[in-house]
Amino acid sequence: MGEKVLMKGNEAIAEAAVKAGCRYFFGYPITPQNEIPAYLSWRLPEVGGVFLQAESEVAASNMVYGAAGAGARVLTSSSSPGISLKAEGISYIAGAELPAVIVNMMRGGPGLGGIQPAQSDYFQATKGMAHGDFHLLVLAPSSVQEAVDLTIDAFALADKYRNPVMLLADGMIGQMMEPVEFTREIDPETLPDKPWATNGAKGREKNIINSLALDPAELEKHNLKLKAKYDQMKEEEVRFASKGLDDAETVIVAYGTAARIAASAIELARQVGYKVGLIRPITLFPFPEEIINQTADKVANFLTIEMSTGQMIEDVRLAVNGKKPVHFYGRTGGMIPSPEEIFEQIKIIGGAKE
Amino acid sequence: MKEVAGKPAALTDKPFHYCPGCTHGIIHRLTAEVIDELGIREETIGIAPVGCSVLAYEYFDCDMHEASHGRAPAVATGVKRVHPDKVVFTYQGDGDLASIGTAEIVHAANRGENITTIFVNNAIYGMTGGQMAPTTLIDQKTKTSPAGRSRELTGSPLKISEMLSVLDGVTYLERVSVHDTKHIIKAKKAIKKAFEIQLAGKGFAMVEVLSTCPTNWGMTPIEAMKWLEENMIPIYKPGVLKDIEDGE
Amino acid sequence: MVKEDIIFAGFGGQGVMLMGRLLAYAGMKEDRHVSWMPSYGPEMRGGTANCTVIVSDKEIPSPLTSKADIVVAMNLPSLLKFLDKVKPGGKLFINTSLIEEDVARDDIEVIEVNANDIALEVGEGRVANMVMLGALINKVGIVKMDTIKSSLSDVLSKRNHDLLEVNKQALDNGAKLV
């Protein structure tokens, strides 16, 4: 531990899950996340865990539902079309209040779409994962090291809230290699007991893992309990990174891969005197509303950069709450914006030049 | 005083919600008696389906996990892989297992998951109000086959047990019925064997139980028992479809 | 040198990804910031494979590059695809064993390396990539040749460890060319 290794994002996430004490993986192949199951197919047996390739994403997410209910730290991973199929299990996992971690290495859509990097599942991840009144906690890494750190955090957050957590990245984060360090390792034996798990009612009342509540009054109570968890996440779990906000006239809001490219664009812009800053949401749900709202008091305008036709921008606008204009630039379908394209947008919206 | 009849410990005191004459109650009881007799109530995790027996998690007094429609074998797989030393069973109807959940049951069986499946076949969707099931008989009238099931339109009754019996992962598969005492006794023996096979770590075991639905068949309970015997049994023949130990 | 963006391109089987990984790995060993971004998907099977490597003294913003400081073209389709990607004043390494065409740009420096021929002289046709990398390192620096060599055993898959020495030889012979 503590030694730098050069790893692909997907493999690093897989190893991070093992380091987080995850011993169970259920999944189904899909590009561009195949290195995750491939890695865990040999790595999990090495640590006494179970890797199982399911017959479908639907089955995989329901195996996760079973394993999570049985008290295990459990992972599944997929990419956009596969996540749509996993939605069923994820809704049940959220309803039954189980911890689980789901990785989505986004690719272009809708439908079969393409296999190149995209950020077009933002709405799905943060707002409309599946039926019912629920949210995932959504973490968006922008480097391989951050993917490792957030994967380890994801398991802890899932346990803390008994709620599914999604690591939302894209083919670029999954496929690229960067140096990473693993500084934490959790022995699953040392994790706190889960007294609600289905592991045999030995000397206790039986446990039931369930998302059915036929009495609407009872279900409403359950929904409000879930909402209280989401409110607590908003209080305690908001994460973001920012740069150059002190003197910024224009602030770019971007996450994940788009934020990396935006950072290059900001370097170009700053070289010629444009005062541009960056707010990079790390949690997409809960969304860093407050920093954006506060920043709106100081800057001239915002520019949201996404690899979609505009999804997160809705949350940026809600956070800015009409205080300042919020502009948008995006490429989609697997196209990645270049720093130069973003720089052009900075010039168009008139970021003040010294 | 000696107690000669009583509720099995593996059943809660909650009264069943099942319709009068429905045989789910019998099958629940048989399963619970087997759990008691094997002394595994505190080791057992049951997976409830979606369908009439969706509330099975309230009736069995062991750890229970309520699955989504058809996915009980996948949920059971997740539980069993985490707790290979525990006993895991699924309890599923014909809509759940033979329609929406065909992929999950086929692959769980083919993997030889060391679980036990109780498959209740009453040739109709009960919970949603009497629609056609894949197991509905030809010419059987349901809410969605009002003129009787047509082979041209919807194919033939699905013999899922016969299908599953050819899979290498299946250790034991028997079809039983609960329309009379003789068959009920046989059904219990089969269920017990299906659990014993799991306890011995021998792989996937399933018992298909032919069952009645007087409400949605539009019959009295007694007529329903008779209808099962005369109409279902010729199509779904009771018997051992696979038993690796007997070389079948 | 603050930051170098390098694109390696060739056809599948030329070890283009490996060249990039070896450079990135060596950069990491020298405590630099590095990133390695491959092309992926069916495009790789169809012909050209490529990867972008960035080695920098600072945190790397975008792991992709619009204009590279250096492009390494191991075959003609790669040259045609990436010629425009070389920054004005940048460097283009071409594998003249497989590319006979003249380069139609005069604002860049072109370094010609007959990588396959040299590899055959070393006695192993598959190490043309290392010949090219040797030339690149000797010409541009970026990382030390020793670091590249000492990284080989970590980056090469175990089943190819019998080729460690011939890879080192190829690096040296490539270096001598420039």
Side-chain angles (χ1 to χ4, degrees), chain C residues 95-126:
Chain C
N95 178 11
T96 51
S97 300
L98 300 180
I99 302 171
E100 290 171 359
E101 277 69 6
D102 290 330
V103 174
R105 274 184 72 173
D106 53 14
D107 60 338
I108 57 175
E109 185 182 352
V110 179
I111 298 100
E112 298 185 346
V113 179
N114 54 339
N116 290 67
D117 300 324
I118 304 294
L120 288 173
E121 282 174 31
V122 177
E124 175 52 75
R126 285 179 288 171

Side-chain angles (χ1 to χ4, degrees), chain C residues 1-171:
Chain C
M1 204 274 290
V2 177
K3 177 170 175 277
E4 294 274 4
D5 299 9
I6 308 112
I7 293 172
F8 295 93
F11 59 75
Q14 278 188 306
V16 167
M17 299 301 190
L18 183 71
M19 291 163 86
R21 270 177 52 210
L22 189 56
L23 176 59
Y25 192 92
M28 178 182 77
K29 277 181 90 166
E30 293 187 3
D31 277 327
R32 313 281 292 282
H33 292 271
V34 298
S35 66
W36 174 89
M37 180 68 209
S39 58
Y40 65 88
E43 124 180 29
M44 279 170 61
R45 290 177 204 119
T48 61
N50 69 81
C51 61
T52 301
V53 174
I54 299 176
V55 181
S56 175
D57 292 335
K58 291 192 305 177
E59 203 172 304
I60 296 164
S62 172
L64 291 175
T65 186
S66 324
K67 289 285 179 192
D69 300 295
I70 300 163
V71 167
V72 175
M74 293 296 283
N75 66 351
L76 183 60
S78 303
L79 174 66
L80 299 177
K81 189 170 174 183
F82 290 105
L83 179 59
D84 289 345
K85 284 267 195 177
V86 189
K87 235 178 231 178
K91 294 182 178 62
L92 172 68
F93 288 77
I94 59 171
N95 178 11
T96 51
S97 300
L98 300 180
I99 302 171
E100 290 171 359
E101 277 69 6
D102 290 330
V103 174
R105 274 184 72 173
D106 53 14
D107 60 338
I108 57 175
E109 185 182 352
V110 179
I111 298 100
E112 298 185 346
V113 179
N114 54 339
N116 290 67
D117 300 324
I118 304 294
L120 288 173
E121 282 174 31
V122 177
E124 175 52 75
R126 285 179 288 171
V127 296
N129 57 344
M130 291 300 132
V131 174
M132 181 60 90
L133 188 62
L136 174 85
I137 296 299
N138 202 37
K139 172 84 184 171
V140 193
I142 310 177
V143 295
K144 294 189 195 79
M145 184 67 92
D146 284 348
T147 319
I148 291 277
K149 284 184 183 169
S150 65
S151 299
L152 262 174
S153 60
D154 291 332
V155 175
L156 269 187
S157 61
K158 288 233 160 47
R159 65 188 158 85
N160 287 329
H161 276 196
D162 54 326
L163 296 175
L164 278 175
E165 283 315 308
V166 72
N167 273 286
K168 286 178 189 167
Q169 189 62 50
L171 283 163

Side-chain angles (χ1 to χ4, degrees), chain A residues 58-107:
Chain A
V58 176
S61 70
N62 283 285
M63 289 172 186
V64 170
Y65 181 36
R73 281 197 163 178
V74 55
L75 175 75
T76 188
S77 66
S78 193
S79 179
S80 309
I83 294 291
S84 293
L85 285 166
K86 286 194 166 126
E88 177 191 273
I90 295 170
S91 175
Y92 282 71
I93 289 165
E97 293 193 84
L98 298 179
V101 177
I102 303 121
V103 176
N104 181 4
M105 284 293 163
M106 289 182 282
R107 55 189 249 184

Side-chain angles (χ1 to χ4, degrees), chain A residues 154-227:
Chain A
F155 284 96
L157 288 165
D159 279 348
K160 175 177 174 183
Y161 289 97
R162 284 183 62 181
N163 200 71
V165 175
M166 176 170 278
L167 191 78
L168 187 71
D170 59 61
M172 193 158 117
I173 303 279
Q175 295 295 324
M176 79 172 168
M177 279 187 162
E178 288 184 315
V180 288
E181 265 181 274
F182 295 92
T183 54
R184 290 177 278 173
E185 180 159 12
I186 294 150
D187 177 355
E189 297 297 318
T190 65
L191 290 168
D193 202 34
K194 291 171 176 170
W196 44 263
T198 50
N199 50 11
K202 188 153 238 132
R204 61 158 167 77
E205 293 285 295
K206 71 170 184 176
N207 285 333
I208 301 174
I209 302 294
N210 182 29
S211 66
L212 178 69
L214 291 170
D215 172 8
E218 190 194 323
L219 183 52
E220 186 188 47
K221 220 172 105 186
H222 181 61
N223 287 141
L224 292 174
K225 183 185 172 205
L226 296 182
K227 183 186 181 291

Side-chain angles (χ1 to χ4, degrees), chain A residues 24 26 50-56 58-60 62-72 88-89 92 96 98 197-214, chain B residues 12 41-45 50 54-69 71 73-84 86 100 103-105 107-108 111 113 127:
Chain A
Y24 299 90
F26 304 92
V50 174
F51 165 88
L52 189 63
Q53 181 169 319
E55 59 270 29
S56 69
V58 176
N62 283 285
M63 289 172 186
V64 170
Y65 181 36
E88 177 191 273
Y92 282 71
L98 298 179
T198 50
N199 50 11
K202 188 153 238 132
R204 61 158 167 77
E205 293 285 295
K206 71 170 184 176
N207 285 333
I208 301 174
I209 302 294
N210 182 29
S211 66
L212 178 69
L214 291 170
Chain B
T12 63
R41 191 186 70 81
E42 294 187 335
E43 312 293 330
T44 297
I45 299 122
V50 172
V54 66
L55 294 173
Y57 61 82
E58 294 197 346
Y59 306 137
F60 287 106
D61 197 12
C62 59
D63 276 3
M64 293 294 294
H65 191 136
E66 162 49 33
S68 55
H69 199 20
R71 320 295 177 218
V75 173
T77 298
V79 175
K80 186 73 181 184
R81 296 295 178 127
V82 174
H83 298 301
K86 306 283 186 211
I100 196 167
E104 284 75 17
I105 193 65
H107 288 275
R111 284 191 301 268
E113 290 294 339
M127 193 208 211

